[in-house]
Amino acid sequence: PALACFSDFTEMMRALGYPRLISMENFHTPNFMLVSEVLLWLVKRYEPQTDIPPDVETEQDRVFFIKAVAQFMATKAHIKLNTKKLYQADGYAVKELLKVTSVLYGAMNTKGVERADLSEEDSSKFKFDLGSKIADLKAARQLASEITSKGASLYDLLGKEVELREARTESIARPLEINEAEKMMKVAIDCVLEEVQKTKDMLNNVALDEANLEAKIEKRKLELERSQKRLQTLQSVRPAFMDEYEKIEEQLQKQYSSYLEKFRNLTYMEQLLDDHRRTEQEMFEEAANMLRLMQNRLKEEEQHLLKSGSKWD
């Protein structure tokens, strides 16, 4: 089954126009570069305008690349890919790649393109783009939702038509009064003039605010220049006690070197003292042991003599 799966994958990739030859030996060991190249090629074949980054140098880049491709296929083509198997980049990854190639290959066959009649040159020139179809599908869904909302609003408006018809007929039947119309026009003109005046006042305020901002910016620039000049002056001036400070720092460095030397010597002497004390302790314990052994031996000899004397008596 694995050989058949790989054979189908290579045939479909050749029919889709993949420019390189793929063999089973390419996937005996993990080959992430080839898997990423095939994935990117399939994504570009599905939607040429996609912007998935092709960087796979580091481990973080590879994880991001696999996640981006899996998310793209899940949202655009409704194909669920196993990211772990793709990251392995071995024979298991071929089964995941076969999911994408099967969809593209099936779509190509529905258009009447015969795989056996395609030469290698014609396959490289074959362009298969579903981006426009997806765009048409999105536009159709949007139009359907708009039609539904427009139909609902139209139904509500038609329900109010009975009341509106009476009001409309009454307004049409009423004679037009010139004085009232003139009065309404004057009111409308006054409202428009008031809005125009408000707009002019707002423009004047904007111009004033702009002038104030420019003045503040200029003031800040002058302060910045003065601060920079002062900084340069401070950097160029040598402090009054710098010479004394450098001498004291040099003496401190010498004292520190002397301190380190004495500290190392003290540590070495303490270690020698500990070794000497340990040696003395060991010698003392050895002498005590020898003394104890001699005492035990004398006691044994004394007891032996006592036993031998009692026998002679």
Side-chain angles (χ1 to χ4, degrees):
L3 292 175
C5 174
F6 186 81
S7 178
D8 293 339
F9 172 70
T10 55
E11 290 296 329
M12 290 180 184
M13 290 296 292
R14 188 181 298 110
L16 289 173
Y18 187 67
R20 291 177 55 185
L21 293 177
I22 302 176
S23 62
M24 191 172 181
E25 285 75 12
N26 297 131
F27 295 95
H28 281 170
T29 58
N31 191 350
F32 192 87
M33 298 303 296
L34 179 59
V35 172
S36 63
E37 181 182 350
V38 171
L39 281 173
L40 188 60
W41 186 85
L42 291 173
V43 169
K44 293 291 185 181
R45 177 66 68 184
Y46 194 89
E47 185 173 344
Q49 289 80 17
T50 186
D51 56 350
I52 295 177
D55 299 331
V56 291
E57 296 296 331
T58 63
E59 180 179 354
Q60 185 177 3
D61 293 337
R62 294 183 178 184
V63 172
F64 179 77
F65 175 80
I66 293 296
K67 287 184 177 180
V69 172
Q71 185 177 4
F72 174 82
M73 286 299 173
T75 55
K76 298 293 185 180
H78 302 287
I79 300 174
K80 185 177 180 180
L81 299 176
N82 191 322
T83 54
K84 292 183 179 180
K85 292 182 179 180
L86 286 176
Y87 190 82
Q88 290 177 2
D90 52 6
Y92 292 101
V94 176
K95 296 182 179 180
E96 301 301 318
L97 295 173
L98 187 61
K99 296 178 182 179
V100 184
T101 54
S102 299
V103 174
L104 295 175
Y105 184 74
M108 183 184 71
N109 287 336
T110 56
K111 280 192 168 186
V113 179
E114 296 295 335
R115 183 180 62 182
D117 296 336
L118 285 176
S119 63
E120 185 175 355
E121 181 179 1
D122 295 334
S123 298
S124 63
K125 295 180 180 179
F126 177 73
K127 300 295 181 182
F128 184 76
D129 183 13
L130 291 179
S132 60
K133 298 297 182 181
I134 295 176
D136 294 341
L137 180 59
K138 290 181 179 179
R141 289 179 178 176
Q142 185 176 1
L143 289 176
S145 61
E146 290 180 0
I147 290 172
T148 304
S149 60
K150 296 293 184 182
S153 61
L154 181 61
Y155 179 78
D156 294 337
L157 293 175
L158 289 175
K160 299 177 182 179
E161 176 60 22
V162 178
E163 299 176 359
L164 296 176
R165 188 188 300 116
E166 296 178 357
R168 185 170 60 251
T169 304
E170 184 179 355
S171 298
I172 293 173
R174 187 175 59 184
L176 181 62
E177 296 181 2
I178 302 300
N179 295 330
E180 184 177 358
E182 185 179 359
K183 187 185 296 184
M184 295 299 295
M185 290 297 296
K186 287 182 179 180
V187 172
I189 291 171
D190 293 338
C191 292
V192 173
L193 291 176
E194 184 177 357
E195 292 293 333
V196 170
Q197 187 62 35
K198 289 181 180 180
T199 305
K200 289 181 179 180
D201 294 338
M202 290 176 63
L203 290 175
N204 293 331
N205 293 332
V206 169
L208 183 61
D209 294 339
E210 185 178 359
N212 293 332
L213 287 175
E214 289 180 354
K216 290 181 180 179
I217 291 172
E218 189 66 26
K219 183 179 179 181
R220 296 295 182 185
K221 286 182 178 179
L222 294 176
E223 292 179 356
L224 178 61
E225 291 178 358
R226 288 196 296 269
S227 299
Q228 289 178 347
K229 290 180 180 179
R230 184 179 178 184
L231 177 61
Q232 292 176 358
T233 303
L234 292 174
Q235 290 177 347
S236 61
V237 174
R238 186 177 179 83
F241 302 99
M242 195 65 188
D243 295 336
E244 185 179 359
Y245 171 78
E246 291 178 352
K247 291 180 180 179
I248 294 174
E249 186 178 12
E250 185 177 357
Q251 294 176 1
L252 179 62
Q253 185 67 30
K254 293 180 180 179
Q255 293 293 333
Y256 182 71
S257 300
S258 177
Y259 165 75
L260 288 179
E261 184 178 359
K262 291 179 180 179
F263 181 77
R264 287 195 295 269
N265 293 334
L266 178 61
T267 304
Y268 177 70
M269 295 299 292
E270 288 178 350
Q271 184 179 359
L272 291 178
L273 180 60
D274 292 339
D275 294 340
H276 181 68
R277 288 176 178 176
R278 191 180 303 109
T279 304
E280 287 184 348
Q281 183 67 25
E282 291 176 355
M283 292 175 64
F284 176 77
E285 291 178 356
E286 186 177 356
N289 292 331
M290 292 294 295
L291 181 61
R292 193 180 301 109
L293 291 173
M294 291 178 66
Q295 290 177 353
N296 293 333
R297 186 178 300 171
L298 289 174
K299 286 181 180 180
E300 291 176 356
E301 291 179 355
E302 183 179 359
Q303 290 177 0
H304 181 68
L305 291 173
L306 290 174
K307 288 180 179 180
S308 60
S310 60
K311 289 181 178 180
W312 286 106
D313 293 337

